Amino acid sequence: MSVRETLWGERFEVIDRMLAELDPDLHRYITEFAYEEVLAREGLDLKTRELLAITSLIALGNPPELATHLEGALRAGATVREVRETILQAAIFMGFPRALGAMKALHALLHKQNARDGAPPRREPDENATG
């Protein structure tokens, strides 16, 4: 399975078609270089690479691609808690407004997954929570 199929899941065809229609050269650069060469490298696992992508996208101001990489991180094996902690860590260096936007995007994704799966939202205990 390709990196893109792992991260994009059932949205693979939609995302791939959207990129191809937008610009064939950009599509090729993104799919062949970014995903199938850089993200497929040894040295860091895909989960870690996706958590780093989340941090980078938060730094860029939470572009729409953030939602794709939030879902990609979960598909690559990150837990909801690991994604939350990544967003909270980003708040220190990139600011609370950007972290808040990313957390809203995560909650929207979890809500969407819950509606699609018909299951309760995926929440993990947080031993550091107060209140």
Side-chain angles (χ1 to χ4, degrees):
M1 180 181 301
S2 77
V3 171
R4 291 175 299 135
E5 289 172 308
T6 299
L7 297 178
W8 297 346
E10 70 277 354
R11 295 179 48 221
F12 173 81
E13 290 180 9
V14 171
I15 294 171
D16 195 60
R17 184 172 49 260
M18 182 272 305
L19 287 171
E21 290 172 358
L22 184 62
D23 185 88
D25 289 330
L26 186 59
H27 171 257
R28 185 169 45 85
Y29 298 150
I30 289 171
T31 60
E32 292 177 11
F33 179 70
Y35 279 90
E36 303 306 334
E37 188 171 329
V38 176
L39 289 175
R41 289 177 53 87
E42 294 182 12
L44 289 175
D45 60 32
L46 192 54
K47 175 181 89 168
T48 302
R49 289 181 188 279
E50 281 298 281
L51 294 173
L52 289 167
I54 290 168
T55 303
S56 299
L57 291 165
I58 292 170
L60 291 171
N62 302 337
E65 293 79 12
L66 176 63
T68 299
H69 288 279
L70 289 167
E71 187 170 0
L74 296 172
R75 289 183 178 284
T79 64
V80 172
R81 182 173 183 174
E82 289 171 323
V83 173
R84 284 184 62 245
E85 291 299 324
T86 298
I87 295 169
L88 293 171
Q89 176 74 20
I92 298 169
F93 297 97
M94 292 160 230
F96 288 99
R98 288 189 177 177
L100 181 60
M103 199 65 78
K104 287 177 181 179
L106 175 61
H107 280 265
L109 170 64
L110 296 175
H111 179 73
K112 181 176 123 184
Q113 287 179 340
N114 176 44
R116 181 182 63 221
D117 298 341
R122 293 192 289 176
R123 300 206 98 169
E124 297 174 34
D126 185 357
E127 69 259 6
N128 296 321
T130 58

